[in-house]
Amino acid sequence: AQSVTQLGSHVSVSEGALVLLRCNYSSSVPPYLFWYVQYPNQGLQLLLKYTTGATLVKGINGFEAEFKKSETSFHLTKPSAHMSDAAEYFCAVSDHGYQKVTFGIGTKLQVIP
Amino acid sequence: EPEVTQTPSHQVTQMGQEVILRCVPISNHLYFYWYRQILGQKVEFLVSFYNNEISEKSEIFDDQFSVERPDGSNFTLKIRSTKLEDSAMYFCASRRVTNEKLFFGSGTQLSVL
């Protein structure tokens, strides 16, 4: 079975500050890892994904995440928060069969002007 | 970018009634999914569908639930006799092949009264 744990259900940062959203995964096989974003009243949008290869993955809107196998982590970062980044962020994992994506509980990001 | 379309965006129903949630996946996609998100909780996998049959389902997807692809374009989720605890946002998703990203619809908010 696979799972992800997101540390911090709510994170607040000042506009222009570093964004760091934490995710740790558990998987018995090499995982595929994802970050999704959900803006209010909208569906889930893929920010970035790690499958194989380079462990630092760049996504849309200036976000990136680094796969660290030794720490079983896939934390999401952005150097400088923008007001438009306020949303809920979900870390997710799937196996290479890709039949099912398992989501974390989500982290609500608040950006303070 | 192509979109997965879900209708209606909001559905209100009485407990015990049947509901059908509709989805139009992206036209050349072959794998279809339903997920749900109860308010304040994580996104949960319900079912995956390929080649006109269910390929995997979760423990949530009991006999009250069914899925169908009736006409080659729509993908529906039916709840036979709704319960209060079925109130949630239901997301449809699709992908072309198993190693490509999931495209999510914007969801149907189901409220069971």
Side-chain angles (χ1 to χ4, degrees):
Chain A
Q2 298 175 293
S3 65
V4 288
T5 303
Q6 291 185 242
L7 299 173
S9 58
H10 289 82
V11 170
S12 292
V13 299
S14 298
E15 191 175 14
L18 171 72
V19 175
L20 171 60
L21 305 182
R22 298 178 188 275
C23 173
N24 288 88
Y25 70 89
S26 172
S27 176
S28 57
V29 297
Y32 284 3
L33 293 159
F34 313 85
W35 277 98
Y36 284 86
V37 60
Q38 185 181 24
Y39 297 103
N41 301 314
Q42 294 188 28
L44 294 160
Q45 181 182 1
L46 182 67
L47 269 181
L48 50 80
K49 68 176 180 179
Y50 168 79
T51 53
T52 57
T55 55
L56 182 62
V57 181
K58 293 188 187 300
I60 60 172
N61 302 338
F63 284 93
E64 61 183 38
E66 186 170 11
F67 170 63
K68 290 188 177 179
K69 186 178 176 182
S70 61
E71 298 177 9
T72 61
S73 69
F74 191 59
H75 302 329
L76 182 70
T77 60
K78 181 174 180 178
S80 176
H82 192 272
M83 295 299 294
S84 60
D85 294 327
E88 189 155 21
Y89 292 80
F90 294 90
C91 183
V93 63
S94 82
D95 63 17
H96 290 199
Y98 246 122
Q99 284 304 300
K100 182 171 80 172
V101 177
T102 301
F103 288 83
I105 200 160
T107 298
K108 276 199 171 71
L109 176 67
Q110 180 186 23
V111 181
I112 303 164
Chain B
E1 190 170 72
E3 285 186 350
V4 174
T5 307
Q6 288 186 245
T7 56
S9 56
H10 291 84
Q11 173 112 31
V12 181
T13 191
Q14 296 289 326
M15 191 170 58
Q17 295 295 305
E18 175 185 285
V19 293
I20 297 176
L21 308 183
R22 301 182 193 280
C23 170
V24 179
I26 294 168
S27 61
N28 62 348
H29 284 192
L30 302 175
Y31 296 81
F32 312 109
Y33 306 81
W34 283 101
Y35 286 78
R36 79 172 186 190
Q37 183 183 23
I38 294 171
L39 186 64
Q41 298 185 26
K42 63 182 176 181
V43 178
E44 301 172 292
F45 168 80
L46 291 179
V47 66
S48 59
F49 190 86
Y50 170 71
N51 201 27
N52 283 320
E53 61 183 24
I54 290 172
S55 42
E56 188 172 353
K57 60 183 180 179
S58 72
E59 60 276 6
I60 302 167
F61 195 88
D62 61 21
D63 292 344
Q64 293 298 313
F65 290 88
S66 62
V67 289
E68 199 176 34
R69 189 156 160 78
D71 56 13
S73 62
N74 290 284
F75 179 53
T76 61
L77 174 69
K78 184 194 293 187
I79 308 174
R80 210 180 324 276
S81 175
T82 50
K83 303 189 280 284
L84 295 176
E85 54 265 37
D86 294 327
S87 296
M89 178 74 88
Y90 288 80
F91 291 104
C92 174
S94 69
R95 66 166 110 239
R96 192 169 62 93
V97 294
T98 55
N99 62 349
E100 289 188 355
K101 71 174 185 178
L102 274 176
F103 287 79
F104 282 87
S106 56
T108 292
Q109 180 66 55
L110 176 65
S111 297
V112 182
L113 306 178

